[in-house]
Each structure stands twice: as C-alpha cells, then as structure tokens.
C-alpha cells in the first residue's frame, strides 16, 4: 500500500452542539486533498480527538470518509487503544467500512512491556488483511516502542510502516534496520526535513491542514535533489511547526490547530472536553503567527 509522503492526521469538525459536523467534514476532506495536497488522511486519530469519539461515531466517520474521498486519496483509520480486544473490534469495523489501512497507537496508561507491545500489535495485525501503521508517541503514551520491537513487528507481512515521534536517534536506527518496503514516517512536523535526510519516507502531519501545499513542495524538493530549496521552505514552515504546539505555552493538539484553521478561513468548530479552547494570550499569539508567517 502506498500512502504517499504527505499524510494528514485530520481533525474531526464539530458543530455548536458538540456533534460531528458532517458538512464541514466533507469540505475539509476535499480541501486537504485538493488544496493542501494530502496524499492520505488519518481519520479518528488523536488529532481527530479519538478518545472522545464513540464507536458509532468512528464507524460513521470511516464510512463517510471512504465515500467522500472516492479514490482521490487513501483513508487510514485510527483504531488503536490500550485494549487489544477493543482495537481488534474497531479494526474489523474499519475494514468492513472499506478503509485503506489502520493506524495503531501504542497502548497508553497501562505501560506494557516490549513483549506486551509486540503481542498487542501482532494480535491486531493477525485479525485483519489491512495494512497496519504503528504509532509511537512516547510523550503521550508514556511507553516507547523500541527500535528492536518495531523491527520485530516489521517482519509481520501487513505491518508496513511506523509513525514515530521518538528521538532522531531512534528514527536513524529504524531507517537503518528496516526491511525493504517498510516505511518510516515522522510524526513531528518540525522533523520532516531531518527525517527525510536520514532516509525516512515522509510525514504524518498536523500542520498540513494549513500549510500542506508548502510542505509538499518541501518534500518534493528534497526528493528531487534540490536540498537548498528544501532547506529554504523548511525555514519558512518552521515557525508554524513550532507555533502550533507552543502557542506560546505547550497546548494539546488539536486545540491550537483548530483555532488557526478558523483564522485561516476554514472553521472546523471547537474541541470536546477535557480539551478546552485557547486562552486570550494564546489567541493573540496564533493571530500573530498567521499574520507574520510566509508559510501560509
């Protein structure tokens, strides 16, 4: 399965009552593909506020996204959790909805051992014919899928890629040890160019909601050998990469992103509790970011 080098981890638009805004979701899918040049979309990932979506909402989102995309991009369903049996259930639901793959986050809170991580992902992969993308984000899950465990999982035929938010050292080791065809994506927008430079394949991005076209130019420039242009574009994008997560203090994804999308003329509603919107100072910071950045 080819997901491309620029994959967007899509927000879930909400209406004023807190339900999924299906009209906005459809327009967002079109916008990300046609305007921001996303090659694949992750739906119901953590950027899509998956912890607060019901199973029914997730199934409806999977079906809606597949139908709306209509073959223009790939749909990757976020079906991972810290409950292996529940993850298998959601993965089977996603497969029945016609998605092109699943993204499985490392089990959070219960802190499994490396063997536990291996058995968790293996059990889910064994339950489906879909391609599986691992998602390693130690800053949120408090557990790191080690290089050794990731490469052990990469030997399973339908585990085809990883989205890794660990250290640059880990990315380098993964790229060096990965079997042929196994793709290493960064999950950190600011590491897009460094990941490409050490042999990674691409980015599963948040910032691509608002500067995807420029990120695609950055990636294409590097892949085509124009490193100087890639470095120039990276410098233009970098304040946005950092600003979306600093704002001016660290904020949970997708709080700042949804606010910036509204400032950019593409409102997608608010966030669900326990997340809350930006503060007055954060709003001022983000307005300045949008006004001053050459990446938009």
């Amino acid at each position: 399965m080819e997901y491309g080098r620029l994959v967007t981890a899509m927000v879930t638009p909400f209406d004023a009552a807190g339900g999924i805004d299906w009209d906005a979701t459809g327009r967002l899918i079109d916008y990300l593909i046609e305007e921001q040049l996303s090659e694949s979309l992750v739906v119901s990932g953590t950027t899509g506020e998956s912890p607060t979506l019901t199973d029914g909402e997730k199934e409806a989102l999977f079906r809606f996204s597949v139908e709306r995309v209509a073959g223009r991009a790939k749909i990757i369903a976020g079906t991972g959790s810290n409950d292996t049996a529940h993850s298998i259930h959601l993965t089977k639901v996603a497969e029945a909805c016609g998605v092109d793959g699943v993204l499985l986050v490392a089990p959070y809170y219960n802190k499994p051992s490396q063997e536990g991580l291996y058995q968790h992902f293996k059990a889910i992969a064994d339950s489906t014919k879909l391609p599986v993308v691992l998602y390693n984000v130690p800053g949120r899950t408090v557990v790191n899928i080690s290089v050794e465990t990731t490469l052990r999982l990469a030997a399973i035929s339908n585990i085809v890629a990883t989205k890794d938010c660990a250290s640059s050292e880990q990315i380098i080791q993964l790229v060096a040890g990965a079997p042929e065809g196994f793709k290493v994506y960064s999950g950190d927008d600011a590491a897009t160019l460094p990941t490409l430079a050490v042999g990674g394949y691409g980015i599963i991005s948040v910032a691509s909601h608002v500067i995807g076209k420029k990120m695609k130019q950055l990636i294409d420039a590097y892949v085509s050998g124009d490193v100087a242009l890639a470095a120039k574009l990276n410098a233009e994008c970098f304040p946005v990469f950092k600003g979306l997560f600093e704002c001016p203090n660290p904020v949970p994804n997708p709080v700042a992103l949804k606010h910036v999308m509204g400032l950019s003329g593409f409102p997608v509603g608010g966030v669900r509790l326990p997340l809350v919107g930006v503060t007055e100072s954060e709003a001022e910071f983000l307005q300045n970011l949008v006004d001053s950045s050459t990446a938009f």
Side-chain angles (χ1 to χ4, degrees):
M1 180 62 65
E2 175 56 61
Y3 296 122
R5 295 181 185 270
L6 180 63
V7 179
T8 296
M10 192 178 81
V11 298
T12 303
F14 295 135
D15 59 27
I20 296 178
D21 186 331
W22 295 107
D23 180 63
T25 300
R27 288 186 287 107
L28 177 60
I29 288 170
D30 294 343
Y31 174 72
L32 291 175
I33 296 169
E34 297 169 5
E35 299 295 328
Q36 298 295 354
L37 307 182
S38 297
E39 297 167 271
S40 294
L41 304 175
V42 175
V43 296
S44 185
T46 48
T47 303
E49 297 176 71
S50 57
T52 67
L53 296 176
T54 68
D55 283 4
E57 287 176 321
K58 290 177 182 181
E59 180 175 0
L61 189 57
F62 299 156
R63 291 190 186 278
F64 180 91
S65 300
V66 169
E67 292 174 5
R68 185 73 176 218
V69 164
R72 293 174 294 162
K74 299 295 192 299
I75 293 295
I76 304 170
T79 60
S81 74
N82 64 344
D83 176 353
T84 306
H86 189 218
S87 299
I88 290 172
H89 167 72
L90 284 176
T91 297
K92 290 180 176 180
V93 168
E95 184 170 2
C97 291
V99 304
D100 301 292
V102 293
L103 181 75
L104 303 179
V105 70
Y108 38 86
Y109 190 78
N110 41 17
K111 297 180 71 173
S113 66
Q114 292 300 312
E115 181 63 23
L117 288 170
Y118 176 81
Q119 294 298 337
H120 170 80
F121 290 119
K122 181 179 184 298
I124 303 168
D126 286 348
S127 76
T128 182
K129 296 179 181 178
L130 288 173
V132 169
V133 181
L134 307 174
Y135 181 16
N136 186 38
V137 55
R140 289 201 174 198
T141 63
V142 201
V143 62
N144 179 50
I145 312 172
S146 71
V147 172
E148 293 75 16
T149 299
T150 302
L151 296 180
R152 186 181 172 198
L153 287 162
I156 297 172
S157 62
N158 63 329
I159 298 182
V160 301
T162 185
K163 172 187 177 183
D164 204 291
C165 300
S167 65
S168 57
E169 179 181 344
Q170 180 148 321
I171 293 285
I172 291 168
Q173 292 175 314
L174 287 172
V175 170
E180 183 177 358
F182 184 82
K183 294 180 171 63
V184 177
Y185 287 89
S186 174
D188 176 3
D189 284 307
T192 301
L193 184 55
T195 296
L196 293 171
V198 298
Y201 192 71
I203 177 72
I204 299 181
S205 173
V206 172
S208 54
H209 282 84
V210 289
I211 57 169
K213 184 178 292 187
K214 184 149 287 189
M215 293 180 70
K216 184 68 163 57
Q217 292 170 348
L218 185 166
I219 293 166
D220 289 347
Y222 184 84
V223 172
S224 68
D226 194 340
V227 177
L229 177 58
K232 175 179 179 294
L233 293 168
N234 184 66
E236 293 176 8
C237 292
F238 195 77
V240 180
F241 294 158
K242 297 296 286 183
L244 285 175
F245 290 93
E246 292 181 355
C247 175
N249 303 304
V251 294
N253 173 27
V255 173
L257 174 61
K258 282 191 164 182
H259 188 80
V260 168
M261 291 188 73
L263 296 177
S264 304
F266 204 104
V268 290
V271 292
R272 285 180 174 176
L273 287 171
L275 299 182
V276 294
V278 297
T279 65
E280 183 176 342
S281 64
E282 290 165 350
E284 181 180 357
F285 174 89
L286 292 170
Q287 182 67 67
N288 291 335
L289 179 68
V290 171
D291 291 342
S292 63
S293 177
T294 59
F296 288 92

